[in-house]
């Protein structure tokens, strides 16, 4: 019954409290969410809102690119965001199967991430597919050890951040261990609202990795695509979001200058795809407010 997740953060969005009733519409928007079995940690990735896909069982590894955001809240979905069928694409190292009924995300089976860690070509393929599909789910990763998780994450970005404290059961302080038993890991992590991790930093994460050792019924992590969310909101609300900046920070006493403040655009062009995406966090305690640019 214990559900354990190890994750390392490398994504790039920020949090928001109830600073704006308008932004609360984001939680009420009928955007689609995709499902990945297991809790979410600090080194994870987030996908987009379309189709409900679920992975269950142990040994699941998930990698996602910035521009998606993981959450543990159920949202209504929009049929027009669904992909029309899934096609399997064969690479030199593994087969990629898009998530059926989802606008983003893909699954990989019969492939060992651990064995590929020393292959620059395989890692390049993983990075390429991560940015293409935004969420990659590698099934059956029962041989992936904590040191392998660290090694994989280091090939996707820097782990130099100060966003979480290690759990006593964590084999490495850079791994955020999450569980439904506080003796095994931190509980209720990431359940405060839809969000993207790392938005408290001045340079948010580029990707995230998660390793789901055990999954339980009802323990789904849902992912929301920022591109799809942005395109789904009405024109006036979209224009407002274009003018907003998100304010967050991390530290002991931000008012006294003890810590680090962050100011990030709510809407920006993704550096790799050039598509519009969004960056914020609806979890309480993470949002210090929003700043609106006046034309």
């Amino acid at each position: 019954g214990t559900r354990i997740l190890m994750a390392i953060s490398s994504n790039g969005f920020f949090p928001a409290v109830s600073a704006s009733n308008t932004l609360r519409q984001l939680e009420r928007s009928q955007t689609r969410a995709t499902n990945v079995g297991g809790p979410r940690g600090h080194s994870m990735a987030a996908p987009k809102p379309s189709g409900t896909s679920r992975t269950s069982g142990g040994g699941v590894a998930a990698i996602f690119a910035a521009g998606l955001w993981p959450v543990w809240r159920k949202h209504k979905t929009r049929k027009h965001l669904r992909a029309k069928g899934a096609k399997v694409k064969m690479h030199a190292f593994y087969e990629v199967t898009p998530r059926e009924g989802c606008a983003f995300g893909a699954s990989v089976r019969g492939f060992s991430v651990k064995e590929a860690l020393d292959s620059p070509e395989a890692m390049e393929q993983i990075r390429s597919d991560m940015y293409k599909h935004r969420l990659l789910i590698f099934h059956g990763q029962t041989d992936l050890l904590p040191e392998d998780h660290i090694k994989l994450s280091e090939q996707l970005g820097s782990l130099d951040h100060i966003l979480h404290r290690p759990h006593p059961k964590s084999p490495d302080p850079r791994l955020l261990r999450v569980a439904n038993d506080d003796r095994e890991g931190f509980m209720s992590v990431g359940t405060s609202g839809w969000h993207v991790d790392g938005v408290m930093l001045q340079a948010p994460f580029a990707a995230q990795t998660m390793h789901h050792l055990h999954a339980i019924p009802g323990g789904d992590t849902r992912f929301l695509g920022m591109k799809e969310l942005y395109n789904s909101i009405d024109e006036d609300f979209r224009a407002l979001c274009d003018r907003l900046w998100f304010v967050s920070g991390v530290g002991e006493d931000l008012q006294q200058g003890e810590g680090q403040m962050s100011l990030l655009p709510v809407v920006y062009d993704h550096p790799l795809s050039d598509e519009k995406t969004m960056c914020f966090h609806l979890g309480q305690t993470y949002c210090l407010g929003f700043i609106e640019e006046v034309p």
Side-chain angles (χ1 to χ4, degrees):
T2 300
R3 166 185 168 186
I4 304 173
L5 157 73
M6 296 183 204
I8 305 171
S9 32
S10 298
N11 204 338
F13 283 50
F14 37 53
V17 162
S18 56
S20 167
N21 290 330
T22 305
L23 280 179
R24 279 299 179 187
Q25 294 177 27
L26 291 171
E27 290 197 302
R28 296 192 293 270
S29 297
Q30 292 184 343
T31 49
R32 253 190 167 310
T34 41
N35 235 333
V36 174
R40 102 191 180 101
H42 208 77
S43 216
M44 320 175 295
K48 75 159 204 133
S50 175
T52 303
S53 55
R54 174 181 303 172
T55 63
S56 59
V60 176
I63 304 174
F64 34 107
L68 303 179
W69 112 42
V71 267
W72 292 313
R73 298 184 60 175
K74 294 183 179 179
H75 275 224
K76 295 180 180 179
T77 60
R78 297 180 70 94
K79 293 182 180 179
H80 72 272
L81 291 178
R82 292 187 178 182
K84 295 182 179 180
K87 296 182 179 179
V88 177
K89 184 175 182 180
M90 182 64 188
H91 292 307
F93 304 98
Y94 51 75
E95 290 183 351
V96 179
T97 305
R99 304 292 289 179
E100 185 176 357
C102 301
F104 69 90
S107 294
V108 176
R109 300 178 185 274
F111 172 76
S112 173
V113 173
K114 179 184 180 70
E115 294 179 3
L117 290 174
D118 292 323
S119 169
E121 294 81 7
M123 289 298 100
E124 181 57 36
Q125 187 63 63
I126 288 176
R127 279 190 291 271
S128 175
D129 288 330
M130 177 186 69
Y131 288 119
K132 177 181 179 180
H133 297 284
R134 292 183 281 170
L135 169 67
L136 282 181
I137 302 170
F138 293 88
H139 297 265
Q141 306 301 312
T142 55
D143 61 342
L144 194 70
L145 300 176
E147 53 267 33
D148 302 323
H149 190 171
I150 293 290
K151 188 173 182 178
L152 169 65
S153 301
E154 287 178 329
Q155 298 200 50
L156 300 175
S158 171
L159 301 184
D160 185 19
H161 61 78
I162 54 172
L163 292 187
H164 67 253
R165 65 191 188 283
H167 188 274
K169 283 292 189 71
S170 178
D172 189 292
R174 293 169 292 179
L175 289 172
L176 177 62
R177 188 175 172 100
V178 180
N180 64 349
D181 182 337
D182 59 10
R183 296 169 298 181
E184 297 293 335
F186 293 116
M187 298 177 61
S188 301
V189 175
T191 58
S192 60
W194 290 92
H195 64 277
V196 176
D197 285 331
V199 296
M200 300 81 75
L201 300 175
Q202 295 172 0
F205 307 140
Q208 286 183 305
T209 60
M210 306 168 70
H211 189 200
H212 306 278
L213 302 183
H214 303 282
I216 61 172
D220 305 319
T221 297
R222 293 179 178 269
F223 294 96
L224 181 67
M226 298 295 92
K227 178 182 72 173
E228 289 74 17
L229 175 61
Y230 180 77
N231 291 334
S232 72
I233 60 181
D234 62 67
E235 186 175 347
D236 291 341
F237 188 26
R238 193 182 305 150
L240 172 62
C241 290
D242 288 339
R243 301 192 302 270
L244 291 178
W245 291 73
F246 179 80
V247 184
S248 188
V250 57
E252 294 294 330
D253 192 340
L254 294 177
Q255 291 185 341
Q256 299 299 320
E258 298 178 9
Q260 178 183 150
M261 298 286 294
S262 66
L263 178 64
L264 303 171
V266 170
V267 178
Y268 67 99
D269 294 330
H270 192 280
L272 296 179
S273 68
D274 290 327
E275 295 178 314
K276 293 290 184 182
T277 186
M278 304 181 76
C279 183
F280 57 87
H281 193 310
L282 295 178
Q284 200 167 8
T285 75
Y286 291 102
C287 176
L288 301 181
F290 293 88
I291 297 176
E292 179 182 359
E293 291 186 13
V294 179

